[in-house]
Amino acid sequence: MSTDRFALPSLEALLDHPPQTVTRTGGAPLTYSRFGAPDGRRVMWLHGSPSCRLEGLVFHDWAVENGVSIVAFDRPGLGDAPPRPGLTVRDIADDAVALADALGWDRFHVFGGSAGGPYTLAVAAAIPQRLDAVVILASGGVDPANPAASGWVDRAASVLSRRTPAILTAYFSMIQLGMRLPGPLITGVARWIPSPDAAPLRHPRFVALFKAVNAAAFRQGTAGAIEDYRRLGSDWGFSVGDIRAPVTVIQGTKDASVPIRQAQHYAKTIPDAALHLAPGDGHFAAIFNWQRVATILGWA
């Protein structure tokens, strides 16, 4: 899928649309949005970090054309979801189950990219019998069973989230300031950055979408993102070796954020996992190319 198609002509209308809500057990609301075709293959998307449910906008056009119905929800403290400190990665799987139940989704696919990968694996561990496919793309996180497999970005963020969150606050604040720069300035600077991970920022329509998603993600401040990284660097509440659902692992070979060894670790540790390397792809390209996913899964 071309990066020119990441953003939508109706972007503003979709971003202004208020989130839908479901009340989970215990009374905490889940905020979610739906993208793609109204009916079709059911895919639940677990977003990255710092991000929010509106990340699903990236896939909207492709999903409409290919008959895929997407639902994505905010994790606590991100987007419009209220904070719920102290949860584990496994606890977030209960949110995914509650949403699927509310939508009447007896069976569905679950996909997750970057920081959404471990949460996707948590869903796979919780309800393998309800999943048609599990796909993790450029999956990050710090697996407690093998922290050395993770990249330095995730390891650093997880340590800072627990010990010196003020540094992460400053870092996320810098990201917010950068996203407030005029779009043409961002695309202009990105043209001089050789990394494949900078490629999407060279496209004005993607930058417009990225800026909007970033603003929505930090609507409540930086605490939600910090808590997200704390969960990803703490005991996950489950073991990836206990997952009994087939898992597709996709990893770009030029990813500057997540090393190939992380994908290899997941593929080796999950009993029924298949690793697919994307030659030359950086972090974003590996995550956002759902046509590749459809081909791997054999969607006709």
Side-chain angles (χ1 to χ4, degrees), residues 15-133:
L15 290 175
D16 289 340
H17 187 74
Q20 300 181 67
T21 60
V22 166
T23 301
R24 66 184 303 280
T25 303
L30 288 174
T31 55
Y32 72 97
S33 290
R34 302 190 71 163
F35 309 99
D39 299 301
R41 297 181 190 274
R42 298 169 173 176
V43 175
M44 183 176 292
W45 173 249
L46 282 297
H47 65 74
S49 193
S51 190
C52 65
R53 72 186 190 284
L54 294 179
E55 191 175 275
L57 285 167
V58 174
F59 313 107
H60 177 81
D61 277 1
W62 181 90
V64 168
E65 293 177 3
N66 290 273
V68 176
S69 179
I70 303 171
V71 63
F73 65 93
D74 292 325
R75 291 195 288 274
L78 294 166
D80 291 285
R84 289 154 54 206
L87 300 180
T88 66
V89 171
R90 170 60 183 81
D91 291 330
I92 301 301
D94 292 336
D95 290 352
V97 174
L99 179 56
D101 288 346
L103 296 173
W105 284 15
D106 294 329
R107 296 191 63 84
F108 58 99
H109 305 68
V110 60
F111 297 177
S114 193
Y119 295 105
T120 302
L121 296 178
V123 178
I127 52 167
Q129 73 283 0
R130 294 180 61 178
L131 303 177
D132 291 321

Side-chain angles (χ1 to χ4, degrees), residues 166-214:
I167 295 178
L168 273 186
T169 296
Y171 171 68
F172 290 142
S173 296
M174 288 178 60
I175 293 178
Q176 289 176 274
L177 287 173
M179 287 294 100
R180 293 189 187 113
L181 294 173
L185 179 59
I186 296 175
T187 56
V189 171
R191 290 191 182 96
W192 297 95
I193 302 175
S195 169
D197 287 333
L201 296 179
R202 299 172 193 144
H203 295 263
R205 297 178 69 196
F206 180 83
V207 169
L209 174 58
F210 193 62
K211 284 163 66 72
V213 173
N214 181 266

Side-chain angles (χ1 to χ4, degrees), residues 190-274:
R191 290 191 182 96
W192 297 95
I193 302 175
S195 169
D197 287 333
L201 296 179
R202 299 172 193 144
H203 295 263
R205 297 178 69 196
F206 180 83
V207 169
L209 174 58
F210 193 62
K211 284 163 66 72
V213 173
N214 181 266
F218 286 116
R219 187 169 289 143
Q220 302 178 72
T222 62
I226 293 172
E227 180 69 2
D228 211 35
Y229 278 104
R230 182 205 61 77
R231 283 191 297 267
L232 292 167
S234 304
D235 183 356
W236 286 0
F238 73 99
S239 170
V240 299
D242 293 335
I243 293 173
R244 292 298 175 262
V247 177
T248 298
V249 182
I250 297 176
Q251 176 66 39
T253 62
K254 297 295 184 180
D255 192 326
S257 301
V258 176
I260 292 178
R261 66 174 182 271
Q262 176 103 330
Q264 293 170 331
H265 160 66
Y266 288 134
K268 179 180 178 180
T269 308
I270 298 168
D272 188 0

